[in-house]
Amino acid sequence: MITIPYLTAVSTYFSYGLLFAFGQLRDFFRRFLDWWLTSNLQGYAPICLGHEDFYIRRLYHRIQDCFERPISSAPDAWFDVVERYSNDNNKTLKRTTKTSRCLNLGSYNYLGFGSFDEYCTPRVIESLKKFSASTCSSRVDAGTTSVHAELEECVTRFVGKPAAVVFGMGYATNSAIIPVLIGKGGLILSDSLNHSSIVNGARGSGATIRVFQHNTPSHLERVLREQIAEGQPRTHRPWKKIIVVVEGIYSMEGEICHLPEVVAICKKYKAYVYLDEAHSIGAIGKTGKGICELLGVDTADVDVMMGTFTKSFGSCGGYIAGSKELIQYLKHQCPAHLYATSIPTPSAQQIISAIKVILGEDGSNRGAQKLARIRENSNFFRAELQKMGFEVLGDNDSPVMPIMLYNPAKIPSFSRECLREKVAVVVVGFPATPLLLARARICISASHSREDLIRALEVISKVGDLSGIKYFPAEPKKIEHTNNDIKLD
């Protein structure tokens, strides 16, 4: 877990307290003004009460320009950001016709498939001409094409499971699948920092939920042992089913799951393992096959493997891979398969083509080069940030690099100054993170050149000094003596 410096925690609490106090004061005077206003909805209950959207009105709107910035080009290493302005203190934002060419450090384009690709793009265009942009139907009606069948076979082969089923939305893959897998009388053990799609899916299942400390197998075992001993609430009957849910790479922390230990514990206590590989599939591992390949875990030991196509594959949707019996059951029971529109066929073709490039089936070694480049870029960028004195979360090989900001004033400061220097970053605050743990999340891509990364480091270092977010002393520059010359690294 993150240890916040004492003075940083105090100043952050003080800043939020000040914002809260002034916001409440403004709301107090606002109520007097409302008495003089008439409403055309007499007798109706207000859809949203004042205190319910307090955070949006008094905190979020002040820095709204740092979020939802529209772009007008493909999410490559560089992209065009549409400029906006506001005449009411960011309550509403209006687009202009001007754009800024910015270095992209925010997109999930890990392997660079988000823009034109010499192998993928022509096949996607051909698929668009043949099948159109949408199937206009669910999978069980008229939404299954030959491309969808090929995609499921391709995913099955890529992740190393007997069968797979694909869905049109990554978020819905978790939120719609988990309630189908488990219900009342079951137990879900969820990592404390799991994605909101997992949280919502677990809550919608009706199962009992217990949370264990983030990425701490010892605490998972302690909670699991206690729950097995106690049984179901009130009746103390044995649990009908127990599922442990973890992520391959945690999206807000950039940390890699301790999967071998989790699998060993689940084997010991006969619990199922549900692995979310949204950020790890395609991005890590020698051949891009995810955390199981990276850590040497047999995919047969992972009961349910979930992943999305929105990151490494440059497309949309998600998948579930598992036993043939599991996949057959999901195809008959999951509402995301029965009722939701299937993946657009061009998007499915993009995934197939990307997987073939990663596996080298396109007749080139570009896939291996992309995997080597994303690993090299990620480790280089992380090491340099740490040398500068930033507090960077996550593990080596992970392309997700959160830089801790903490203080609410530093969220817009860091974002706006980076944009002024033509570097586009994503800043994250409450409710996506705990109140005190605001951060900037950097996502590295294989499409970034070394020059791009050096340019980004120069800007981030400069902005870090201005915003005061270098919480550790920077490493001194090394001096090398070579042939009577002095060289600074």
Side-chain angles (χ1 to χ4, degrees):
M1 302 299 289
I2 302 170
T3 302
I4 310 174
Y6 179 76
L7 290 178
T8 303
V10 171
S11 65
T12 302
Y13 273 125
F14 177 78
S15 299
Y16 275 113
L18 199 64
L19 290 170
F20 182 81
F22 275 98
Q24 291 290 349
L25 188 64
R26 293 182 67 183
D27 278 0
F28 176 77
F29 286 106
R30 180 188 179 188
R31 282 193 288 270
F32 285 100
L33 293 176
D34 287 344
W35 288 348
W36 299 94
L37 301 176
T38 59
S39 174
N40 294 325
L41 296 175
Q42 296 296 331
Y44 284 82
I47 293 178
C48 187
L49 298 176
H51 64 272
E52 291 176 348
D53 67 339
F54 176 84
Y55 178 85
I56 296 175
R57 290 183 292 102
R58 301 307 183 199
L59 281 83
Y60 175 78
H61 276 164
R62 292 170 177 262
I63 60 173
Q64 188 176 193
D65 61 301
C66 298
F67 306 99
E68 301 178 13
R69 289 171 176 155
I71 65 173
S72 58
S73 65
D76 205 355
W78 291 78
F79 61 5
D80 297 324
V81 178
V82 178
E83 296 182 7
R84 298 179 294 176
Y85 70 95
S86 175
N87 295 323
D88 53 7
N89 296 318
N90 280 346
K91 187 176 181 180
T92 58
L93 294 168
K94 297 181 180 180
R95 296 189 302 273
T96 68
T97 57
K98 298 180 181 179
T99 61
S100 297
R101 190 68 175 172
C102 296
L103 179 60
N104 179 12
L105 295 181
S107 297
Y108 298 137
N109 186 26
Y110 295 147
L111 294 184
F113 287 115
S115 59
F116 176 86
D117 183 85
E118 59 189 70
Y119 182 83
C120 300
T121 305
R123 286 161 178 78
V124 171
I125 294 174
E126 182 181 347
S127 176
L128 175 63
K129 292 178 179 178
K130 182 177 180 180
F131 293 100
S132 186
S134 173
T135 62
C136 300
S137 181
S138 66
R139 287 290 304 277
V140 296
D141 294 329
T144 298
T145 67
S146 57
V147 178
H148 291 88
E150 182 184 356
L151 173 59
E152 290 178 343
E153 293 175 2
C154 206
V155 171
T156 298
R157 183 164 44 91
F158 185 67
V159 303
K161 297 295 281 185
V165 58
V166 297
F167 304 93
M169 181 181 178
Y171 188 97
T173 304
N174 275 330
S175 59
I177 284 293
I178 295 177
V180 178
L181 295 177
I182 192 170
K184 188 176 181 180
L187 172 66
I188 296 175
L189 293 176
S190 179
D191 188 288
S192 61
L193 296 183
N194 273 341
H195 192 263
S196 63
S197 60
I198 296 174
V199 174
N200 289 337
R203 288 174 177 173
S205 69
T208 300
I209 304 170
R210 295 291 180 266
V211 176
F212 61 92
Q213 292 175 6
H214 170 60
N215 218 7
T216 309
S218 59
H219 189 249
L220 165 63
E221 183 173 14
R222 186 160 64 250
V223 174
L224 183 54
R225 187 170 57 244
E226 290 173 357
Q227 291 302 315
I228 291 175
E230 293 178 6
Q232 297 184 39
R234 294 189 300 274
T235 65
H236 301 291
R237 293 176 179 174
W239 297 102
K240 295 180 180 179
K241 189 185 301 180
I242 301 176
I243 298 180
V244 176
V245 187
V246 294
E247 295 186 44
I249 293 179
Y250 291 89
S251 58
M252 286 297 172
E253 288 70 38
E255 294 181 2
I256 295 175
C257 175
H258 297 157
L259 188 61
E261 294 87 343
V262 171
V263 168
I265 292 169
C266 291
K267 277 186 175 182
K268 180 179 178 180
Y269 294 96
K270 302 298 186 291
Y272 293 106
V273 180
Y274 184 108
L275 174 62
D276 179 337
E277 286 213 270
H279 288 266
S280 56
I281 191 68
I284 59 176
K286 185 178 180 180
T287 60
K289 295 182 180 179
I291 187 173
C292 290
E293 182 180 50
L294 179 71
L295 301 181
V297 176
D298 189 349
T299 56
D301 293 332
V302 180
D303 302 286
V304 185
M305 297 182 70
M306 175 269 176
T308 62
F309 303 121
T310 54
K311 282 79 177 177
S312 298
F313 307 99
S315 188
C316 64
Y319 68 85
I320 293 289
S323 66
K324 292 183 179 180
E325 294 79 10
L326 171 65
I327 300 306
Q328 194 66 19
Y329 170 75
L330 294 178
K331 287 184 176 181
H332 287 86
Q333 297 293 329
C334 181
H337 183 82
L338 297 173
Y339 307 115
T341 304
S342 61
I343 298 179
T345 310
S347 300
Q349 182 60 57
Q350 165 69 25
I351 303 163
I352 294 170
S353 302
I355 291 176
K356 288 183 177 180
V357 172
I358 294 171
L359 294 177
E361 295 178 1
D362 63 329
S364 73
N365 64 342
R366 290 195 306 119
Q369 291 176 352
K370 285 177 177 290
L371 290 167
R373 195 177 303 120
I374 182 65
R375 189 180 306 113
E376 180 184 344
N377 286 353
S378 299
N379 293 338
F380 166 76
F381 204 81
R382 182 185 302 279
E384 292 300 315
L385 287 175
Q386 291 171 340
K387 289 178 184 178
M388 292 176 182
F390 292 101
E391 183 172 1
V392 185
L393 305 185
D395 298 318
N396 283 336
D397 290 349
S398 170
V400 181
M401 277 161 243
I403 301 175
M404 298 309 298
L405 304 176
Y406 296 121
N407 197 288
K410 296 178 181 181
I411 299 174
S413 171
F414 185 80
S415 178
R416 290 166 182 166
E417 290 300 323
C418 283
L419 186 65
R420 190 172 286 112
E421 297 289 339
K422 308 303 181 185
V423 174
V425 298
V426 170
V427 289
V428 187
F430 180 84
T433 66
L435 196 65
L436 295 184
L437 303 182
R439 65 199 67 179
R441 184 176 65 176
I442 306 298
C443 292
I444 299 299
S445 171
S447 62
H448 288 132
S449 67
R450 182 56 62 95
E451 290 74 20
D452 293 338
L453 299 181
I454 292 174
R455 163 65 179 160
L457 288 167
E458 291 173 350
V459 170
I460 291 175
S461 179
K462 176 183 175 182
V463 175
D465 290 328
L466 289 173
S467 303
I469 58 173
K470 293 184 177 180
Y471 295 103
F472 300 102
E475 289 187 10
K477 294 183 177 180
K478 296 179 181 179
I479 301 178
E480 293 183 358
H481 297 270
T482 57
N483 300 328
N484 299 323
D485 294 329
I486 297 179
K487 182 180 179 181
L488 293 178
D489 287 341

